[in-house]
Amino acid sequence: MSKIRILGLGGLDEKAKDLYVLEIDSKIFILDSGVFEPFSSLLGINYFIPKIDYLKENIDKVKGIFLSSPNRSMLGAIPQILKLFPKIKVYGSSITIKSLDVFFKDNFYVKKALKNVITEKDSLKIDDILIRVIDLNGSCPGTLGYVFNTKDGNIFYLSSYIFDYIEEYKISIFDHIKKYTIEKNLLLISDSLNMNRNSSIYPLYKISRYIEKYFDEKKRIFITLYEDNIINIIEIIKLAKEYNRQIYIFDLEFLELLKIMIKEQKIPNFPFKKAMDLKSSTLPEEVLIIISGTRSNLYHRIKSSLIEDNIYNLEIEKEDIFIFACEPQPGNEAIFQNITSEVSKIDPKTLILTEKDKIWIHPTQYDLKNYVGLLKPKFIMPVKGYYKEFVEARNILKSIGYKDDQVIIAENGEIYEINDGNNMGILRKIKEVGEQVIEGMNDELIDSEIIKQRQELGKDGLLTIGCIVSKEQKYKVVSNMDIQMRGLIYIKNQEKLMQNLENEIKLIIEENREDFILNRVQSIMVKRINKILRLSIKKIPTIIIKIKQI
């Protein structure tokens, strides 16, 4: 008989930082590696990842990392975990594994990682644990579920799925899980983000029915999309082909990911172009521009790169069509309202889709009931959502015969244990739960002492520096330099100081263009700018540098 423990380090009572720890007879498997991006910057901090002290304490037990999706928000803690476990194997679909190299191309630990592609045709054995794979109908192609076989039955980890057939992926989910319906199933760990809904999501995730009417107008079309909504990209490709429009992609990493999906034959072949290559002579009726981003940064990206600083000379015009095809999320409503207001001032034809118009591809009560009805797991654990959604999941499970002690409703840090396939209960709550902060996806962790230092240094004011460099042009600066001072007293000859700082920053970038490593360049800037400020104004403000690479 087996001793099984399940623990969330992130992703419980929150819609972010998904990282779950499955322990089977003293063997630990890490399920996903999520990140959270705050909706507003705090002292230059851009990302939160789960605190991973528990993994450090059990370093000899960890056997592998199993990634469910190429979604960037599910991968963001990977560099920090790989730094802790440089020899650990990472498993995922072909698209997910390749996306690591897209999102973390400058990270040493990701470059050297033992990355392994796994498909539904494969089965993997780690020690005495058999691990199998299920193709899922998620918002991204390449979304996988994992099945861990134990002496007491199968344990399923299913993230971002729906039950119904999705024509864009041609996946019939019953064909993928029917073999498990005749096996003994112990535990279902299930995504619960749509537990407030009862109906099928199909076809409510589609956007074509709202946007097609604009495609035959002789106007440029701007469409905003969350980058994990690849299923909507497939719809847009079909419309673009039908109406002879070229698709211009704003974000180069997103463009790389789409090209990988084309090569893997997961989305239709299409000659995507870079937004920077859009020519003013191109006819408006031939233009469709996609602006993508994560659920946290998309609207900040629109504001900084399209409205305030037109890095590709893509000014929104009154004659355009602007489609907000992704609904605001809790936390970014304010920036969403700000952006829609700014766009309204320009007065293009505008369409705003809300969550009433389209739904994320995550399981509803309908999907959960169908899975549970087929697999009949003894225990179920809702994950990926707020506590109220877990309670809603429990209520629907009780309506089909489950008891309270068969549903695990956990908070981050609570270890639940199943002994001998029968006894389930909370073992303890670990102290080392919470979050750690990093300044960028590839950056080092920032501990609490550094944050305190920043707060103390902030008494001397704050200096923020931002610019955009082009990877294709050997890290040439392609935007205006944004230098701002906050909390500093008026400085005589301030314009001259600002010009000196700008010249120094440009010089440092120029000196490092042949071997541009972001962390190193930022470190050099901080040291040299500190020196200039000490000599000129006798102050040491907090310096926050943001260099965006496109």
Side-chain angles (χ1 to χ4, degrees):
M1 308 300 277
S2 298
K3 179 181 286 186
I4 294 159
R5 293 176 179 175
I6 180 71
L7 156 73
L9 293 178
L12 300 179
D13 200 21
E14 60 183 349
K15 294 185 178 179
K17 304 205 321 287
D18 300 272
L19 196 162
Y20 310 103
V21 178
L22 175 61
E23 184 174 340
I24 304 171
D25 295 330
S26 297
K27 292 173 280 288
I28 285 179
F29 305 93
I30 299 172
L31 308 177
D32 280 323
S33 181
V35 69
F36 171 67
E37 300 173 64
F39 294 105
S40 59
S41 180
L42 170 65
L43 295 173
I45 295 163
N46 290 109
Y47 301 97
F48 294 88
I49 66 171
K51 201 168 185 180
I52 54 178
D53 295 41
Y54 181 82
L55 297 176
K56 294 177 186 177
E57 293 171 4
N58 293 276
I59 197 164
D60 296 331
K61 295 181 180 180
V62 178
K63 300 297 181 181
I65 304 173
F66 293 83
L67 301 174
S68 66
S69 167
N71 179 357
R72 190 192 312 237
S73 66
M74 303 295 283
L75 310 172
I78 274 283
Q80 307 306 327
I81 294 178
L82 289 175
K83 185 177 180 181
L84 183 61
F85 304 101
K87 295 183 179 180
I88 197 172
K89 290 185 177 180
V90 181
Y91 299 92
S93 66
S94 177
I95 293 174
T96 297
I97 294 300
K98 289 177 180 176
S99 70
L100 292 175
D101 294 323
V102 172
F103 297 141
F104 309 109
K105 62 177 62 177
D106 297 323
N107 186 272
F108 170 83
Y109 298 101
V110 173
K111 285 181 181 177
K112 299 296 182 181
L114 303 174
K115 300 183 281 268
N116 296 266
V117 172
I118 189 168
T119 72
E120 191 172 72
K121 297 177 181 178
D122 302 323
S123 60
L124 173 71
K125 200 157 191 181
I126 297 180
D127 294 342
D128 60 338
I129 306 297
L130 177 68
I131 303 158
R132 291 171 287 176
V133 177
I134 304 174
D135 285 332
L136 295 178
N137 280 330
S139 58
C140 291
T143 299
L144 299 180
Y146 294 99
V147 186
F148 297 82
N149 183 253
T150 77
K151 298 169 186 174
D152 301 309
N154 294 320
I155 297 174
F156 294 81
Y157 173 60
L158 304 182
S159 171
S160 184
Y161 68 89
I162 62 173
F163 184 77
D164 287 333
Y165 177 80
I166 291 185
E167 58 192 84
E168 289 84 358
Y169 299 156
K170 298 179 173 60
I171 293 179
S172 172
I173 200 66
F174 181 73
D175 293 338
H176 293 258
I177 68 168
K178 61 184 178 183
K179 65 182 176 183
Y180 299 106
T181 62
I182 59 173
E183 297 183 15
K184 186 179 180 182
N185 298 319
L186 179 67
L187 171 65
L188 169 61
I189 305 167
S190 172
D191 176 354
S192 302
L193 280 176
N194 274 332
M195 281 299 116
N196 60 327
R197 297 179 181 272
N198 189 29
S199 64
S200 166
I201 285 179
Y202 181 87
L204 299 178
Y205 61 82
K206 291 177 174 288
I207 61 174
S208 299
R209 62 191 189 279
Y210 300 109
I211 68 175
E212 182 174 3
K213 62 185 177 183
Y214 298 105
F215 273 66
D216 60 357
E217 296 194 30
K218 293 185 177 182
K219 296 182 176 184
R220 296 188 308 176
I221 299 176
F222 289 80
I223 300 181
T224 69
L225 275 180
Y226 293 130
E227 64 184 23
D228 59 329
N229 276 348
I230 301 300
I231 200 159
N232 293 146
I233 288 286
I234 296 173
E235 294 183 77
I236 291 170
I237 290 172
K238 290 180 179 178
L239 290 174
K241 286 182 175 181
E242 183 178 347
Y243 290 91
N244 297 313
R245 285 185 180 264
Q246 289 295 324
I247 299 178
Y248 295 85
I249 303 295
F250 201 81
D251 181 80
L252 296 186
E253 286 183 346
F254 187 59
L255 176 59
E256 275 190 71
L257 194 59
L258 292 177
K259 288 180 176 178
I260 289 170
M261 291 181 181
I262 289 172
K263 195 170 182 179
E264 297 276 333
Q265 299 183 334
K266 297 297 185 181
I267 65 173
N269 191 10
F270 195 88
F272 294 108
K273 297 184 177 182
K274 302 170 186 173
M276 65 177 67
D277 294 336
L278 177 59
K279 297 177 181 177
S280 57
S281 59
T282 305
L283 295 174
E285 60 265 32
E286 297 175 355
V287 176
L288 191 159
I289 302 160
I290 293 179
I291 309 163
S292 61
T294 67
R295 297 179 188 274
S296 302
N297 73 19
L298 173 59
Y299 294 109
H300 290 281
R301 175 174 290 179
I302 295 170
K303 183 178 181 181
S304 64
S305 300
L306 193 58
I307 293 177
E308 293 179 349
D309 189 0
N310 301 311
I311 60 174
Y312 298 150
N313 293 317
L314 278 176
E315 291 190 15
I316 305 167
E317 299 173 356
K318 182 179 174 62
E319 294 75 22
D320 294 329
I321 296 169
F322 204 103
I323 300 173
F324 292 91
C326 43
E327 69 285 6
Q329 300 302 302
N332 69 3
E333 297 96 339
I335 183 69
F336 175 78
Q337 292 299 328
N338 179 262
I339 293 303
T340 53
S341 175
E342 290 296 321
V343 171
S344 296
K345 291 176 184 176
I346 303 168
D347 198 27
K349 185 177 288 187
T350 304
L351 172 67
I352 301 175
L353 298 182
T354 69
E355 62 178 6
K356 294 180 180 178
D357 303 312
K358 63 182 291 288
I359 304 175
W360 300 9
I361 293 193
H362 292 282
T364 64
Q365 296 173 15
Y366 162 87
D367 301 298
L368 182 62
K369 283 189 287 187
N370 274 300
Y371 263 92
V372 169
L374 288 170
L375 297 174
K376 296 180 173 58
K378 189 162 191 176
F379 301 105
I380 299 164
M381 179 177 180
V383 296
K384 290 186 69 170
Y386 293 122
Y387 201 87
K388 64 178 182 178
E389 290 156 338
F390 302 160
V391 172
E392 287 168 344
R394 181 177 62 191
N395 291 339
I396 195 64
L397 291 166
K398 287 173 69 175
S399 75
I400 58 173
Y402 278 81
K403 298 177 181 178
D404 283 342
D405 60 3
Q406 290 180 277
V407 184
I408 302 172
I409 298 186
E411 297 181 4
N412 288 330
E414 291 181 342
I415 302 175
Y416 276 79
E417 184 173 86
I418 302 173
N419 278 312
D420 302 330
N422 289 310
N423 304 313
M424 184 273 288
I426 186 168
L427 179 67
R428 64 185 176 93
K429 183 167 184 176
I430 63 172
K431 294 180 181 179
E432 307 81 15
V433 67
E435 54 198 18
Q436 297 168 284
V437 295
I438 52 176
E439 283 192 311
M441 286 281 194
N442 292 297
D443 289 342
E444 297 294 314
L445 290 171
I446 306 174
D447 62 28
S448 57
E449 286 304 312
I450 293 178
I451 295 175
K452 288 178 183 177
Q453 289 172 20
R454 285 190 175 186
Q455 291 170 333
E456 287 300 313
L457 287 171
K459 293 175 182 177
D460 257 356
L462 180 70
L463 175 70
T464 62
I465 298 165
C467 68
I468 301 169
V469 297
S470 168
K471 295 179 183 178
E472 289 200 339
Q473 299 179 54
K474 280 196 171 182
Y475 298 93
K476 179 182 177 182
V477 177
V478 292
S479 72
N480 294 328
M481 194 71 62
D482 181 19
I483 304 176
Q484 297 186 27
M485 292 183 177
R486 296 286 185 271
L488 284 166
I489 61 172
Y490 177 77
I491 303 166
K492 190 176 181 181
N493 297 323
Q494 183 168 312
E495 289 185 7
K496 183 177 180 180
L497 172 61
M498 298 286 268
Q499 187 60 56
N500 288 342
L501 292 176
E502 181 173 337
N503 292 341
E504 188 69 17
I505 294 161
K506 288 180 177 177
L507 177 62
I508 292 167
I509 292 173
E510 186 65 32
E511 291 171 349
N512 289 275
R513 283 177 64 191
E514 294 298 323
D515 185 21
F516 193 93
I517 299 173
L518 183 59
N519 291 350
R520 187 185 67 197
V521 171
Q522 289 175 318
S523 177
I524 293 170
M525 285 183 179
V526 169
K527 290 177 183 176
R528 284 165 58 172
I529 291 169
N530 257 328
K531 185 176 181 181
I532 291 172
L533 295 175
R534 283 198 308 270
L535 292 172
S536 58
I537 62 174
K538 306 295 189 293
K539 288 182 177 289
I540 309 176
T542 298
I543 300 174
I544 297 174
I545 299 171
K546 294 297 167 189
I547 301 175
K548 181 177 179 181
Q549 303 174 69
I550 61 171

